Amino acid sequence: MSRTKHRAELLYRYLIIATKRLTDRQLMILLAIVVGLAAGLATYVFQHTLEFFRFSLTSWFDIDKASVLYFFYPVVGIVIATLFVRYVVRDDISEGVTRVLYAMSKKGSRIKPHNCYSSIIASSATIGFGGSVGPEAPIVLTGSAIGSNIGRFMRMNYKNSTLLLCCGAAAALSAVFKAPITGVVFVLEILMLDITVASIIPLLISAVTATTLMFFLNGFDPVFNLNILHSFELEHLPYYIVLGLICGLMSYYFTQINSKIGQLFARIKSMYRRWIAGGLIIGVLIFLFPPLYGEGYESLADLMHGNVDALFNNSMFFQYRGIGWVVMLYLIASLFFKVVAMSATNGAGGVGGSFAPSLFVGAFTGATMVYGLNYFFGLELPIIPFTLVGMAGVMSGVMNAPLTSIFLIAELTNGYALFVPLMLVAALSFALDYYLEPYSIYTKKLSQ
């Protein structure tokens, strides 16, 4: 052990001496590449772990029958995550983006080393077993922790450590969605990093490095491979304005319900009672509405391809999937209960974020509006554009991040033809939600 430790110290000293030959800018570019590779690899492992859980637990279900296992799976994942956090990690790793903001403002941009892996393990158990939360916040915390600890290892000052932390966050988000512009804009808009040449170049390099690695490992197809036949049409402008206002109201509902349910669970001091309460709520909701299982990206893909019937798979309402008013109620219930399921998952002890749920609620908001207008008023509005624009609308309001939401949807789908409605709906939703609630879902918890 002593010989190994001695060799490690020699290697560390050689590394420090070797890097001193580089200028500060050259060193930051080199470290940005390292952070991008590490964050991209962590994201790849996380995604495939979730796919393994999902395939192993649910792929063998009969699509025309409701499985009682949906009732039990989520609480198993929450119990595993809670025990891991409480007895192995022994630290609070929930609300990943809020943790990153807190580290930047109060901890000198220092994030504990265990965050490089602990969020992946706990979130994989939570989401893999059906917890209705998103993987993005945990992976952003993971990427930020990687950047922060590389900065600490290289004895960086606060400014450069913060920049490497932000490089990790940008790289992780870029890798999740194969969207490098979104990763950079997220850091500038949410983490509020100063825009300078010295900071923007490492951010870009880190995001591109992580995205390139994901292209190499997972292929070049976008997350939602859609053929958008209908671009923006001027006659649809009034409907997009209505959608923007609805998304603003849904964003307000999202943040308020999440806050209130979180407060209710915080009053439950017993860990076992939180498990019981959360397990009952999530289990019942997922049993009735299977699209709420996990982050819900499969349901989003079905919705955007117009395959509404697939949303009824494994549901007790499967036989009613062809009845218009039943479909309407099913879509409305799914979008409203997604927030409840997400909040109950986190409140009961699960580990996950609100990024994917906000996209889910936005997609179902846009699709429900179009489906209702087409069914009840005989219109022929295309479902895909409104679904995508709805995703940007709710995300913009929930996160107070209109630019991030616009570029994310454009990069997710190669849907740059929808830039005008994306900008309109994101701006309207952001303005209305900001009027009703000035805090975003992240800064609200940070202020608390």
Side-chain angles (χ1 to χ4, degrees):
M1 287 293 293
S2 59
R3 184 177 298 178
T4 303
K5 185 177 180 181
H6 179 66
R7 289 176 179 174
E9 290 178 353
L10 287 177
L11 180 62
Y12 177 71
R13 290 177 183 175
Y14 176 78
L15 181 64
I16 296 296
I17 293 173
T19 54
K20 283 185 177 179
R21 300 176 183 176
L22 303 174
T23 65
D24 189 58
R25 180 170 296 184
Q26 290 173 335
L27 179 59
M28 290 305 298
I29 291 175
L30 177 62
L31 292 179
I33 295 173
V34 174
V35 170
L37 290 172
L41 186 60
T43 303
Y44 177 78
V45 172
F46 188 23
Q47 288 183 334
H48 281 267
T49 302
L50 290 179
E51 289 177 7
F52 170 77
F53 274 117
R54 186 182 298 111
F55 180 81
S56 302
L57 296 174
T58 64
S59 62
W60 47 276
F61 288 172
D62 294 328
I63 64 172
D64 59 342
K65 296 178 181 178
S67 175
V68 71
L69 290 177
Y70 276 132
F71 187 82
F72 296 102
Y73 277 164
V75 73
V76 174
I78 289 172
V79 169
I80 294 173
T82 304
L83 294 177
F84 172 75
V85 171
R86 183 164 186 170
Y87 296 107
V88 178
V89 178
R90 298 180 181 179
D91 189 18
D92 187 359
I93 59 174
S94 62
E95 309 299 342
V97 177
T98 305
R99 293 284 154 197
V100 174
L101 289 168
Y102 185 75
M104 292 175 65
S105 61
K106 295 293 184 180
K107 298 292 184 180
S109 292
R110 296 191 171 221
I111 302 177
K112 294 180 180 179
H114 70 73
N115 289 114
C116 295
Y117 64 87
S118 56
S119 293
I120 293 179
I121 297 174
S123 187
S124 294
T126 302
I127 302 172
F129 278 88
S132 199
V133 288
E136 294 81 12
I139 201 61
V140 165
L141 177 58
T142 299
S144 300
I146 290 172
S148 172
N149 283 280
I150 287 178
R152 185 185 303 180
F153 179 80
M154 297 300 297
R155 299 177 183 176
M156 293 288 179
N157 57 28
Y158 171 76
K159 180 181 177 181
N160 288 337
S161 293
T162 301
L163 180 54
L164 287 178
L165 179 152
C166 291
C167 285
L173 196 64
S174 300
V176 169
F177 294 115
K178 299 180 184 177
I181 298 176
T182 301
V184 174
V185 173
F186 173 85
V187 168
L188 299 178
E189 194 170 32
I190 302 297
L191 302 186
M192 295 173 286
L193 183 72
D194 292 335
I195 304 177
T196 62
V197 175
S199 62
I200 200 71
I201 292 177
L203 277 179
L204 289 169
I205 290 174
S206 184
V208 169
T209 300
T211 307
T212 304
L213 179 62
M214 292 303 289
F215 282 152
F216 175 76
L217 297 173
N218 280 347
F220 283 81
D221 291 334
V223 174
F224 298 116
N225 196 3
L226 297 171
N227 184 16
I228 303 177
L229 300 176
H230 303 276
S231 58
F232 173 62
E233 298 180 20
L234 192 60
E235 62 187 33
H236 294 161
L237 182 63
Y239 303 112
Y240 283 117
I241 293 175
V242 173
L243 178 59
L245 297 175
I246 294 175
C247 286
L249 295 175
M250 287 304 304
S251 301
Y252 180 71
Y253 165 82
F254 193 106
T255 53
Q256 293 302 306
I257 292 298
N258 180 65
S259 178
K260 292 183 184 303
I261 292 179
Q263 291 171 5
L264 289 175
F265 273 92
R267 295 173 188 170
I268 304 175
K269 301 304 180 183
S270 171
M271 177 176 64
Y272 304 103
R273 291 181 179 177
R274 285 199 299 269
W275 288 348
I276 294 171
L280 283 173
I281 294 172
I282 306 161
V284 169
L285 290 178
I286 293 177
F287 178 75
L288 293 175
F289 306 102
L292 303 182
Y293 186 96
E295 75 275 25
Y297 283 144
E298 290 185 359
S299 298
L300 290 188
D302 291 330
L303 194 64
M304 285 184 284
H305 284 93
N307 189 15
V308 179
D309 289 352
L311 301 177
F312 288 82
N313 291 350
N314 309 120
S315 168
M316 61 189 300
F317 306 110
F318 182 81
Q319 58 184 326
Y320 306 110
R321 65 192 184 281
I323 303 175
W325 65 269
V326 174
V327 175
M328 273 292 298
L329 292 177
Y330 192 83
L331 293 176
I332 292 172
S334 296
L335 73 92
F336 277 99
F337 284 132
K338 180 66 176 180
V339 184
V340 177
M342 176 201 73
S343 306
T345 301
N346 284 325
V351 176
S354 57
F355 209 108
S358 69
L359 296 177
F360 182 99
V361 172
F364 271 70
T365 299
T368 302
M369 189 189 94
V370 170
Y371 191 90
L373 290 173
N374 291 347
Y375 180 77
F376 292 109
F377 298 98
L379 301 179
E380 296 182 355
L381 297 175
I383 191 170
I384 292 178
F386 282 87
T387 301
L388 294 173
V389 172
M391 292 168 68
V394 172
M395 179 182 166
S396 172
V398 168
M399 297 171 52
N400 284 4
L403 293 178
T404 302
S405 65
I406 292 168
F407 283 105
L408 173 63
I409 303 306
E411 288 189 290
L412 275 180
T413 61
N414 291 332
Y416 291 94
L418 296 174
F419 242 56
V420 172
L422 282 172
M423 294 171 67
L424 174 64
V425 172
L428 286 173
S429 177
F430 167 74
L432 180 56
D433 181 75
Y434 189 81
Y435 173 77
L436 297 172
E437 172 57 77
Y439 288 114
S440 73
I441 196 168
Y442 301 133
T443 56
K444 187 179 182 70
K445 290 168 184 172
L446 184 65
S447 67
Q448 293 170 350

